[in-house]
Amino acid sequence: MLNMSFLATCRIWGDQGQLALEQANTCLLNCGPTGSEALKNLVLGGIGSCTIVDDSKVEARDLGNNFFVDWESIGLSKAKTVCNFLQELNDTVKAKFLEESPETIINVNPDFFSQFTLVIATQMKEQSLLMLDAICRKQGVMLLIARSFGLTGLIRISLKEHCVIESKPDNVIHDLRLQKPWAELKRFSDEFDTEIDDSVIHKHIPFAILLIKACEDWRKTHGDSLPSTSKEKAEFKNLLSSKRRGVDEDNYKEAILSAYRVWSSPTISSELQKILNDSAAEVNMNSPDFWVMVAALKEFIANEGEGDLPLDGTIPDMTSTTEYYVTLQKIYQEKAESHVSSMEARVREILKRIGKDPQSISKSAIKLFCKNSRNVRVYRYPSLEDEYNSCIGGELQRLLGLEENSNATFYLLLRGVDHFAAAYNRYPGIFADEQEDDAMKLKSIATTLLSKMSGGSRAVLSDDLINEICRYGASEIHTVASVIGGIASQEAIKLLTRQFTPIPGVLMYNGIDSTTTILQLTTCI
């Protein structure tokens, strides 16, 4: 069963992603249902090692919301109990526990966190999170915050910079260079005659070749320009249709459907252009490998690439003979390899120039970067202190202004309950007979927070949602915790593997409506 789990996960993030997971060392702060659910998924995914930090004992009430404790563990260390049960799921994971308060470690031994790749902080109050965030940023440790509170919850990533090479977008763009085929591709295209009498060959000419030849014919009669107007694009498709001899020629059907590739070739996206223009691309001895490769990419585009990115070497499926398709595929792969070699030479030269070992970046890393260069991404998250003070205020105010948007209100109220706890040494709604008074106090606190964050906003907070938060009494419901924990583990894997795009802000979960909202953090690029 475990092997099947590994096989399934490897299909998602591949061997390189799995290796990154196996080398990761994760720390979980507090192992209630939210934390246990998050760590469970990482253990099943093959995380290298993990440490659970929690000083609490298992109580009878824990049996109702945490699957990783049982009757026999009542009165025992919760960290030890959860650690033992998680270890049973995957005995290859090095699981440890520490019976200590996370708050105590934050205050007394901040260097403790330097050993970890990622810290997952669950069910922690604002003041402790502010201190933890500062510690993790100073030590270069990724921080993931997860919290469930009644029927709502949130997830927040915090780190200075997160560079993603394998963002794996949903829509794959194939760069076929149909408008300007290089010499080898042009030679292969010239071997085909679209007027050939042999019907078998005619119906198996790859659509990429059909488009290259149609593009050449069009340019001869249109001043070397490509179709640009709607009329010209229709004429170009008619040119392809005129050479089709029967409805069974699927290659021509594919060429007509892919005709847009001729006049809509892949370009450098605005996101990538921002990365290329970023000051971090002016590399020095302290620059990470990612930015060294960005600097090399910038040089490549201006020189060998002639304004284009490196080819990734892949082509889409197309109607063809095996011989034609394999030959075409080989031509694209060889061109991609030549681009990798050019990029490698530039990377080595840059490394030498800035005083680093020219061999410090492997060819496999450069090849991976080239293959995914079109979709590399960089995320920069503001500190929690900046978020709490002002930087999310505009986004919060905008969302509060939308009708029926309770998720933004929940964000504000979750901050409010921490301020309430700091003022009254308890969460609102703990005592049923004080819920009404607690609601009034919480509303006053939340209104003050909103005014501070958004520069005097006059948005009205819903009394129903304030009462709802008080009704929760700080309870951690397993169904909500499993959702928050599941999303948290997904984001953790994105961070550790540096694959896929992480949440670009604060994700709020609303269990009442079963909806999520992301409060965008404006410093992400």
Side-chain angles (χ1 to χ4, degrees):
M1 183 174 179
L2 182 59
N3 290 335
M4 290 300 293
S5 173
F6 275 128
L7 287 173
T9 54
C10 283
R11 290 194 190 100
I12 299 172
W13 49 74
D15 293 341
Q16 193 162 10
Q18 189 63 41
L19 179 61
L21 281 182
E22 291 171 2
Q23 293 174 341
N25 187 7
T26 301
C27 177
L28 172 67
L29 303 182
N30 295 318
C31 57
T34 304
S36 298
E37 288 293 332
L39 193 55
K40 172 203 70 177
N41 295 327
L42 295 180
V43 168
L44 288 173
I47 194 84
S49 58
C50 61
T51 300
I52 299 174
V53 180
D54 195 321
D55 66 338
S56 63
K57 305 295 183 183
V58 178
E59 300 178 16
R61 64 181 180 179
D62 294 322
L63 303 180
N65 65 2
N66 195 334
F67 285 133
F68 295 96
V69 297
D70 58 13
W71 280 107
E72 287 74 19
S73 61
I74 292 178
L76 301 179
S77 164
K78 187 185 292 185
K80 181 179 180 180
T81 302
V82 172
C83 182
N84 290 338
F85 276 111
L86 288 175
Q87 186 75 79
E88 292 179 9
L89 297 178
N90 187 346
D91 58 11
T92 64
V93 175
K94 298 176 182 177
K96 299 185 294 183
F97 66 92
L98 179 61
E99 295 180 60
E100 187 67 80
S101 164
E103 289 78 11
T104 299
I105 295 178
I106 291 170
N107 285 287
V108 177
N109 186 20
D111 290 339
F112 168 79
F113 298 102
S114 63
Q115 64 184 295
F116 299 107
T117 315
L118 170 70
V119 174
I120 303 176
T122 66
Q123 307 304 103
M124 294 188 66
K125 295 177 182 178
E126 183 173 302
Q127 195 57 43
S128 295
L129 286 175
L130 285 168
M131 296 173 64
L132 178 63
D133 183 45
I135 291 168
C136 288
R137 283 174 176 264
K138 182 180 179 180
Q139 298 176 350
V141 177
M142 296 183 283
L143 175 62
L144 178 60
I145 300 163
R147 183 178 193 178
S148 60
F149 195 99
L151 293 176
T152 187
L154 65 78
I155 294 165
R156 207 287 208 186
I157 295 168
S158 185
L159 65 163
K160 289 181 181 179
E161 181 177 272
H162 182 63
C163 303
V164 182
I165 294 178
E166 296 180 86
S167 62
K168 300 189 178 183
D170 293 332
N171 299 316
V172 178
I173 298 175
H174 292 284
D175 186 2
L176 300 179
R177 308 283 165 98
L178 302 175
Q179 308 89 338
K180 45 181 179 181
W182 58 96
E184 293 81 4
L185 181 58
K186 178 71 167 60
R187 261 195 310 272
F188 183 61
S189 172
D190 290 342
E191 293 177 8
F192 291 91
D193 179 8
T194 55
E195 305 298 332
I196 193 170
D197 292 333
D198 191 322
S199 61
V200 174
I201 294 178
H202 192 267
K203 68 173 62 175
H204 286 93
I205 301 174
F207 82 73
I209 300 301
L210 294 176
L211 288 174
I212 289 172
K213 298 185 79 65
C215 193
E216 291 174 352
D217 292 343
W218 176 273
R219 278 177 157 155
K220 289 176 183 177
T221 57
H222 292 80
D224 202 37
S225 62
L226 294 171
S228 56
T229 66
S230 298
K231 181 180 179 182
E232 287 177 341
K233 292 172 184 177
E235 289 177 2
F236 184 84
K237 291 180 180 180
N238 289 335
L239 176 64
L240 288 167
S241 297
S242 66
K243 297 181 181 295
R244 189 179 183 185
R245 295 175 183 171
V247 294
D248 63 333
E249 292 192 324
D250 290 337
N251 57 335
Y252 275 89
K253 180 180 178 181
E254 292 168 357
I256 294 168
L257 291 174
S258 298
Y260 70 90
R261 299 176 190 268
V262 169
W263 53 79
S264 299
S265 60
T267 58
I268 297 175
S269 66
S270 58
E271 293 93 338
L272 179 56
Q273 194 61 57
K274 287 181 182 178
I275 294 172
L276 293 171
N277 295 336
D278 194 271
S279 60
E282 302 298 324
V283 294
N284 54 52
M285 191 172 186
N286 298 318
S287 297
D289 291 352
F290 175 87
W291 287 108
V292 171
M293 289 189 284
V294 169
L297 178 63
K298 197 172 181 178
E299 291 184 5
F300 174 89
I301 293 171
N303 295 280
E304 297 92 342
E306 299 179 352
D308 289 321
L309 295 167
L311 273 176
D312 63 13
T314 62
I315 60 175
D317 292 336
M318 55 187 78
T319 300
S320 177
T321 64
T322 300
E323 180 186 354
Y324 293 160
Y325 186 84
V326 170
T327 302
L328 184 63
Q329 188 177 53
K330 186 178 179 181
I331 289 171
Y332 275 91
Q333 288 174 345
E334 288 177 347
K335 188 63 174 178
E337 282 295 330
S338 73
H339 284 175
V340 170
S341 297
S342 298
M343 273 286 290
E344 183 183 9
R346 293 198 171 274
V347 168
R348 307 281 179 236
E349 175 57 32
I350 291 172
L351 288 170
K352 183 179 179 181
R353 190 192 314 157
I354 63 178
K356 297 180 76 172
D357 179 4
Q359 302 300 319
S360 60
I361 302 178
S362 67
K363 183 172 182 177
S364 61
I366 298 170
K367 186 173 183 178
L368 181 69
F369 184 88
C370 289
K371 183 177 180 180
N372 296 278
S373 60
R374 188 173 302 281
N375 298 301
V376 296
R377 295 290 181 266
V378 175
Y379 294 84
R380 291 178 181 142
Y381 295 86
S383 66
L384 286 182
E385 184 178 6
D386 288 342
E387 174 195 331
Y388 290 161
N389 286 336
S390 63
C391 83
I392 205 172
E395 174 76 350
L396 182 63
Q397 193 169 0
R398 181 186 70 81
L399 291 173
L400 287 172
L402 299 177
E403 186 178 1
E404 301 285 324
N405 196 322
S406 58
N407 298 4
T409 303
F410 275 134
Y411 168 83
L412 196 63
L413 292 177
L414 285 184
R415 284 205 61 204
V417 297
D418 281 346
H419 284 248
F420 185 103
Y424 300 101
N425 202 31
R426 64 176 178 82
Y427 283 113
I430 293 293
F431 304 112
D433 58 347
E434 295 185 20
Q435 280 191 14
E436 188 174 334
D437 288 341
D438 287 355
M440 294 175 62
K441 294 173 182 175
L442 179 59
K443 183 174 184 178
S444 176
I445 290 172
T447 301
T448 301
L449 281 172
L450 175 60
S451 178
K452 179 182 177 182
M453 293 181 69
S454 56
S457 171
R458 296 183 179 180
V460 178
L461 301 178
S462 167
D463 288 336
D464 288 341
L465 294 181
I466 293 172
N467 290 327
E468 185 73 4
I469 283 286
C470 291
R471 190 177 69 86
Y472 296 153
S475 60
E476 200 174 353
I477 302 170
H478 181 264
T479 50
V480 175
S482 64
V483 172
I484 297 297
I487 298 174
S489 60
Q490 175 179 280
E491 295 306 308
I493 288 171
K494 291 179 184 178
L495 294 175
L496 294 171
T497 61
R498 295 189 179 274
Q499 295 180 10
F500 302 96
T501 55
I503 295 171
V506 182
L507 183 141
M508 289 301 306
Y509 173 70
N510 181 341
I512 300 172
D513 301 327
S514 295
T515 59
T516 60
T517 298
I518 293 178
L519 280 69
Q520 189 82 26
L521 296 176
T522 55
T523 54
C524 300
I525 64 172

